[in-house]
Amino acid sequence: MIAYLRFFVRAIFLILLLLSGLLTAAIALPFMNRPVQDAVTKAWSCCLMLVCGVKVVRHGTPIMSGPVLWVANHVSWIDIFILNSWRATSFIAKQEIRRWPVIGWLVARVGTVFIDRGQRQAIGRVSESMKRLFERNICVGLFPEGTTSDGLDVKPFSTSLFEPAMRAHVAIQPVALVFWYEGQRSGKMAFIGDQTLIGNIWVLLSARHVCVEVYCLPAVTQNGQPSPLGRAELAAQVRDAIRAKVAQG
């Protein structure tokens, strides 16, 4: 009964927050300069985590200015907003997310680049979009697992979208997301398998004591400096760093 009440109260605030986000994105966001847009995105994402009952604990030193590629493990639809609550980030996301009700439209409005892996030219188009974002000193977020996991381990990485950052000599920084539920590591909040978005929202909003620790790990490349490693080796180094933190908890 308490879980139902918790869900009901949070759902009301979530709907109000989503409505405010839709209005802001549709009416005000196009007239804001980039710093104001970033500030609004960060503030809205922080509010979303508060409404969802998710405590975000940050560790490490993120690159907060200039272009950077944040490479993170992927557990839930809230990952985008967790990272946006730290620094406004334009994500590379699968095309399916664009079709999610409300959330898909919102993430599109804040600069998400969608990739349809079923199309032969998709990687080339996304690479060009990433290049333009880096030229504007924007933080780009990448989930190279290509899908979500239970958050207790890290799936193999797709390496193709490391290439644009390497060619631009942009810093690549690993980011590990570690999920906790009622004081223990858990995959309960993971958006995986046949679960629907609505089903996952129910799990999240009805739960308590949800915490996500975000670890910004040392960058493996620096701005303006070419990588001494090849793409596969670099991706493996990033994955190993994230996996070590995820396993350690």
Side-chain angles (χ1 to χ4, degrees):
M1 184 63 183
I2 295 176
Y4 282 99
L5 179 60
R6 186 181 301 117
F7 172 83
F8 180 73
V9 172
R10 288 177 175 172
I12 291 174
F13 282 104
L14 177 60
I15 291 170
L16 293 174
L17 185 63
L18 290 174
L19 288 173
S20 72
L22 288 170
L23 289 172
T24 300
I27 299 173
L29 208 63
F31 300 100
M32 298 176 183
N33 59 33
R34 186 72 200 193
V36 175
Q37 288 183 5
D38 289 352
V40 169
T41 298
K42 288 175 60 178
W44 192 90
S45 298
C46 286
C47 289
L48 180 65
M49 293 302 96
L50 181 64
V51 165
C52 291
V54 178
K55 180 181 180 181
V56 180
V57 180
R58 302 183 179 97
H59 307 275
T61 305
I63 297 173
M64 295 296 288
S65 62
V68 60
L69 179 67
W70 275 2
V71 181
N73 59 309
H74 197 14
V75 182
S76 170
W77 60 273
I78 63 172
D79 297 347
I80 288 174
F81 304 102
I82 289 170
L83 296 180
N84 264 313
S85 71
W86 203 344
R87 178 181 175 180
T89 305
S90 291
F91 284 88
I92 311 301
K94 58 186 180 181
Q95 185 65 36
E96 291 89 331
I97 292 177
R98 182 65 181 86
R99 295 192 288 270
W100 288 356
V102 184
I103 293 174
W105 190 83
L106 283 173
V107 297
R109 292 293 289 178
V110 296
T112 298
V113 177
F114 296 100
I115 179 170
D116 186 350
R117 297 184 183 275
Q119 294 187 4
R120 180 177 297 180
Q121 306 299 325
I123 296 296
R125 286 197 294 268
V126 172
S127 296
E128 283 300 314
S129 296
M130 291 174 68
K131 178 183 175 182
R132 290 192 292 270
L133 291 170
F134 290 140
E135 289 171 349
R136 295 165 55 197
N137 292 324
I138 290 174
C139 175
V140 176
L142 176 65
F143 300 120
E145 291 168 286
T147 186
T148 51
S149 73
D150 62 6
L152 304 178
D153 200 355
V154 180
K155 293 178 180 291
F157 278 6
S158 172
T159 66
S160 56
L161 292 179
F162 282 79
E163 190 70 31
M166 295 176 69
R167 288 181 178 176
H169 297 168
V170 166
I172 299 175
Q173 184 168 34
V175 181
L177 302 177
V178 180
F179 279 66
W180 297 79
Y181 171 61
E182 295 190 346
Q184 297 183 346
R185 291 294 308 283
S186 172
K188 184 176 179 65
M189 298 302 123
F191 183 23
I192 55 176
D194 296 330
Q195 188 180 46
T196 65
L197 177 61
I198 298 300
N200 187 263
I201 290 174
W202 154 256
V203 172
L204 180 64
L205 296 189
S206 62
R208 63 175 186 170
H209 304 314
V210 177
C211 176
V212 181
E213 292 190 277
V214 187
Y215 294 86
C216 270
L217 306 172
V220 297
T221 61
Q222 303 300 322
N223 277 324
Q225 299 180 16
S227 170
L229 301 177
R231 188 177 74 190
E233 294 174 305
L234 184 65
Q237 182 178 344
V238 172
R239 180 175 181 264
D240 288 345
I242 295 172
R243 196 179 186 197
K245 187 57 68 175
V246 169
Q248 174 186 339

